[in-house]
Amino acid sequence: DIDLMMDRSNFKRFAAIAKKEFSYPYYFQGLYSFEYLRGHAKIIRKDTCAILKSELNRRFSFPQGIFIDIFIYDNVPDSESLFTHYINKCIQLKKKAYKMRNIFHSDEGESRILKKICSSVMRVLHLPNFIYYRFEHYCQKYNKFNTRKFANISFMPDRKKGFVNRASYAESLPVDFEFMKINCPAVYTDFLEEYYGEGWREYVMGT
C-alpha cells in the first residue's frame, strides 16, 4: 500500500486545504474526533468498506473504507535524557486518552445504554479529546528546534524504530508504484537500513 509522511508544518497546511477540497466519495479523516485517536490521518473512500477486525464491535461513526494513511512527523530531542523523558510523557498521555475513549465507547459490559448516553453527550461537548489534545500538543514540543531526527511520535510513541535522520528527507525522487509515481526519499536506503537494519534486503517470514 501507500503510506504518506509529512512533517507537522506541512501536514497542517494540507489538513486546512483537504477539509475544503475533498468531496464524495473521498473523505479526509483528520486527527481529532470523539472516537478517532490513532495519531495519524487518512484519506478514505466512503463508497468502500474496510473495518479492522479488532474494531467490528466499536461501531465508530467515522467512515471506515479503503484508505491511504498519512503519518505526521515531529522533531525529537537529541539529548538522551530529554528524549527519554519526552517519549515516556507521550506514551503516558496517549494511554490516558485511549483509556478515556474506551470507557465511554464500547459495546461490552452491562452498562451499554449508559455508555451510549455518555458518549453522545461527550461527543457533542467534545469532552473526551482534552487529554488527546494535550498529547498532540506535547508531541510538537521540539518542532521549533533544529533537531537531528524526527519520528511519527503521535502514531506509536512506544515504537523503538522509526526515529530517522531529517537529512535523509532533504530531497525526494519519484518512483514507480503500480499505475502512478510517488515521491520517496532520495536516499531511501539510509532510511530502510535505519528502520529495518542492515539485512532489510532479505525477506524474513513473519516480519
Side-chain angles (χ1 to χ4, degrees), residues 118-184:
C118 291
S119 65
S120 297
V121 172
M122 297 183 79
R123 183 186 293 111
V124 172
L125 298 179
H126 301 287
L127 293 179
N129 275 341
F130 75 93
I131 296 180
Y132 193 76
Y133 289 153
R134 287 179 55 198
F135 164 67
E136 277 287 323
H137 180 73
Y138 193 80
C139 285
Q140 304 172 52
K141 181 176 181 178
Y142 292 95
N143 285 351
K144 60 183 178 181
F145 300 101
N146 187 24
T147 62
R148 189 170 63 90
K149 292 188 175 185
F150 61 178
N152 55 339
I153 297 297
S154 60
F155 175 51
M156 294 182 69
D158 54 345
R159 175 180 282 181
K160 301 188 184 301
K161 298 179 180 179
F163 301 95
V164 297
N165 287 316
R166 295 174 58 84
S168 300
Y169 291 82
E171 298 181 8
S172 62
L173 57 89
V175 297
D176 293 323
F177 182 84
E178 298 295 339
F179 54 87
M180 66 181 75
K181 286 185 179 292
I182 60 172
N183 286 336
C184 73

Side-chain angles (χ1 to χ4, degrees), residues 88-100:
N88 288 339
K89 183 69 173 180
C90 287
I91 292 172
Q92 180 187 48
L93 286 172
K94 191 165 189 180
K95 283 182 177 179
K96 287 182 178 179
Y98 267 85
K99 185 176 182 179
M100 177 170 276

Side-chain angles (χ1 to χ4, degrees), residues 4-17:
L4 304 180
M5 64 167 289
M6 300 181 185
D7 63 28
R8 180 72 64 168
S9 61
N10 279 311
F11 174 75
K12 288 181 177 178
R13 290 169 55 200
F14 174 80
I17 296 171

Side-chain angles (χ1 to χ4, degrees), residues 7-56:
D7 63 28
R8 180 72 64 168
S9 61
N10 279 311
F11 174 75
K12 288 181 177 178
R13 290 169 55 200
F14 174 80
I17 296 171
K19 291 175 183 177
K20 300 175 183 177
E21 297 297 326
F22 279 113
S23 59
Y24 185 86
Y26 301 104
Y27 174 80
F28 174 70
Q29 173 62 59
L31 298 176
Y32 308 112
S33 75
F34 171 71
E35 306 135 324
Y36 190 89
L37 305 178
R38 293 176 182 168
H40 62 88
K42 291 176 179 288
I43 301 172
I44 302 171
R45 182 152 179 147
K46 295 178 71 173
D47 57 352
T48 64
C49 182
I51 303 175
L52 296 174
K53 185 177 180 180
S54 60
E55 297 181 347
L56 282 174

